Amino acid sequence: MSEETTPEETTPEEARTEETRSNGPQAGPALSVVGPGGGETIVLGTTRMRVLEDGSHTGHRLAIAESVLAPHTQGPPQHRHARHDEGFYILSGTVRFTVGDEDHDATAGTLVMVPPGTPHTFANPTDQPATMLSTFTPDLYVQYFRDLQQVLADGRPLTPQANAEAMSRYATEPATDLA
């Protein structure tokens, strides 16, 4: 007696996944796609951040976030990163970057790269919102923003000391010599 088996039904998504597997080995993690409105949202006062890549799909080499700064938003205290580069691409509005004692007003289409050790901060001094895309290489600094959001969620104030404590966990320190 032979047992008759019926093939399992598969969804089109499962069929595509199986087809991809059978077409040969895939290098590295699967493709990551974050659509409009997707990603993780972090709200810090008047700044709304959307984490598009937290490093989990890049081997922790790169993280990317989109931030919207409300009009007249003050940024973080001037600080230095010891272990990561930070990039800012201005999508709309104007963002003022302060590096040491120099101000640079960056408008849409401007890229600002901040290497490790460079003191910096940013703000939106205008009457219009500003949107920027930020990169962190490697990704370690994304968790800093999550930590700050947790401080606020716990009902604690976001004091300079709480900010400096969170920064210290990610090889970052306030540039107190410039305060």
mmCIF file of all heavy atoms in Angstrom, residues 33 86 108 159:
data_model
loop_
_atom_site.group_PDB
_atom_site.id
_atom_site.type_symbol
_atom_site.label_atom_id
_atom_site.label_comp_id
_atom_site.label_asym_id
_atom_site.label_seq_id
_atom_site.Cartn_x
_atom_site.Cartn_y
_atom_site.Cartn_z
ATOM 1 N N VAL A 33 13.881 46.518 3.532
ATOM 2 C CA VAL A 33 13.152 47.607 2.890
ATOM 3 C C VAL A 33 12.265 48.261 3.944
ATOM 4 O O VAL A 33 11.468 47.586 4.591
ATOM 5 C CB VAL A 33 12.282 47.094 1.718
ATOM 6 C CG1 VAL A 33 11.472 48.239 1.121
ATOM 7 C CG2 VAL A 33 13.143 46.419 0.664
ATOM 8 N N GLU A 86 29.515 60.543 12.140
ATOM 9 C CA GLU A 86 28.104 60.903 12.046
ATOM 10 C C GLU A 86 27.941 61.779 10.812
ATOM 11 O O GLU A 86 28.705 62.721 10.608
ATOM 12 C CB GLU A 86 27.699 61.654 13.315
ATOM 13 C CG GLU A 86 26.231 61.713 13.564
ATOM 14 C CD GLU A 86 25.907 62.207 14.977
ATOM 15 O OE1 GLU A 86 26.724 62.897 15.604
ATOM 16 O OE2 GLU A 86 24.805 61.909 15.427
ATOM 17 N N ALA A 108 18.778 72.502 2.474
ATOM 18 C CA ALA A 108 18.459 71.286 1.721
ATOM 19 C C ALA A 108 19.517 71.001 0.664
ATOM 20 O O ALA A 108 19.945 71.897 -0.061
ATOM 21 C CB ALA A 108 17.085 71.420 1.070
ATOM 22 N N THR A 159 17.908 65.853 31.984
ATOM 23 C CA THR A 159 18.874 66.821 32.500
ATOM 24 C C THR A 159 20.208 66.673 31.765
ATOM 25 O O THR A 159 20.462 65.635 31.144
ATOM 26 C CB THR A 159 19.117 66.576 34.002
ATOM 27 O OG1 THR A 159 19.696 65.267 34.158
ATOM 28 C CG2 THR A 159 17.828 66.679 34.799
#
